[in-house]
Amino acid sequence: INTAAYHGKKAYLDVEPELHFKTNSFGPYFLAEYCKKKKITLVHFSTDYVFNGNKSVANYYFNENDLAIPSNLYGASKLAGENLIKSVNGDYIIIRVASLFGHAGCKAKNHDNFIEMIIRKYNNDEDLEIVDDIWMTPTSTELAVNTVTKIIKKKHKGVFHVNSKDNCNWYMFAEQIFDVMKYDKHKLNSVSSANKNQIIDRGFNTSLSSQKLINLNIKMPTWKYLTKKYLKDRENNI
């Protein structure tokens, strides 16, 4: 199971392609070659960033068969990794996730995630300006682990989108955190992405459709449910 990736702020600011492709493309290729030789299945994690997201319609979702055209170096290297895995012609499961949040946080982001960032800034009495025109399908790491386990046990193969079954923009996501935590919404403001400095090029909507898994009788919860569960588990120190 390959979760390794060159990503996060350091990677997004890096315009030199070598390290991106070493980690995100050639690494998975050599793992795929090894797995084929050993006659085992490679499980590889990819990203919604393989899509450029240039869909202005908020309710649009990319499915696994849609043409992937990245809009940044990170997405390009991850897509190359997917294609190199496929070229080996071994058994593989490619999992695309989006907007991950988990209790351990992201190592490349100093073990932070969006929810913890909102809570920290609120507790520090900072006003929050959150973009309201970038849409995505948030994914809890708990959902990712549980769903991947089911995919492996059911012996499915191929590419799968593992994420909430519905989408939201980042402001809606923040608003839900405020609602659950009973925060003062006067400290939360929406802003256009054009008025925020983005460290990586991305489109307005990289929402992923999880309908393929739903058709396989694997339930995918809503992002509101995932957010509430994360915050409840956080409160109970789970």
Side-chain angles (χ1 to χ4, degrees):
I1 299 177
N2 180 38
T3 61
Y6 181 52
H7 72 125
K9 185 176 181 179
K10 180 180 177 181
Y12 298 159
L13 292 172
D14 187 357
V15 296
E16 296 295 331
E18 184 175 1
L19 190 53
H20 283 270
F21 284 91
K22 274 185 176 180
T23 307
N24 299 333
S25 308
F26 295 116
Y29 171 74
F30 292 126
L31 285 173
E33 288 276 17
Y34 175 84
C35 290
K36 182 180 180 181
K37 182 179 179 181
K38 296 293 183 179
K39 297 181 180 179
I40 56 179
T41 301
L42 171 64
V43 180
H44 173 71
F45 279 84
S46 191
T47 172
D48 60 324
Y49 276 43
V50 299
F51 298 108
N52 59 19
N54 290 326
K55 298 286 183 181
S56 59
V57 182
N59 63 354
Y60 185 90
Y61 296 80
F62 289 94
N63 65 50
E64 291 82 352
N65 295 321
D66 280 332
L67 179 64
I69 303 175
S71 60
N72 54 64
L73 186 54
Y74 168 65
S77 64
K78 291 295 287 185
L79 179 59
E82 289 187 16
N83 290 332
L84 285 171
I85 289 171
K86 294 175 184 178
S87 74
V88 172
N89 201 29
D91 285 341
Y92 65 84
I93 300 169
I94 293 173
I95 305 294
R96 290 176 180 154
V97 292
S99 309
L100 279 172
F101 58 93
H103 294 281
C106 176
K107 184 178 179 182
K109 300 175 182 177
N110 294 319
H111 300 281
D112 202 6
N113 67 43
F114 182 77
I115 297 177
E116 295 299 333
M117 180 272 288
I118 293 291
I119 293 172
R120 184 178 64 255
K121 288 196 171 187
Y122 183 88
N123 289 336
N124 289 337
D125 203 29
E126 298 178 46
D127 288 339
L128 285 149
E129 289 190 340
I130 308 298
V131 295
D132 61 3
D133 56 357
I134 294 180
W135 293 76
M136 41 75 202
T137 38
T139 313
S140 70
T141 52
E142 181 182 25
L143 174 66
V145 170
N146 291 340
T147 305
V148 170
T149 301
K150 292 174 184 177
I151 293 170
I152 293 170
K153 286 182 176 179
K154 292 175 180 288
K155 297 182 178 180
H156 296 308
K157 300 291 190 298
V159 181
F160 299 92
H161 291 171
V162 176
N163 47 267
S164 59
K165 71 177 181 180
D166 55 347
N167 70 355
C168 63
N169 60 50
W170 289 103
Y171 177 77
M172 292 166 62
F173 194 5
E175 195 173 37
Q176 172 70 359
I177 299 165
F178 267 64
D179 286 340
V180 175
M181 299 296 288
K182 296 180 170 55
Y183 285 167
D184 178 5
K185 284 191 178 178
H186 288 100
K187 293 186 178 182
L188 179 64
N189 299 291
S190 61
V191 63
S192 168
S193 59
N195 296 321
K196 293 277 284 186
N197 289 326
Q198 303 290 322
I199 63 173
I200 189 170
D201 291 333
R202 62 177 299 174
F204 290 108
N205 187 352
T206 56
S207 301
L208 301 179
S209 169
S210 56
Q211 189 60 46
K212 181 177 178 180
L213 287 174
I214 294 172
N215 292 343
L216 292 171
N217 296 316
I218 297 178
K219 292 183 179 180
M220 308 303 289
T222 65
W223 64 269
K224 285 189 174 183
Y225 170 84
L226 293 172
T227 306
K228 287 179 182 177
K229 188 175 189 312
Y230 176 94
L231 291 168
K232 181 179 179 181
D233 290 346
R234 183 182 187 275
E235 182 181 355
N236 294 329
N237 295 315
I238 295 176

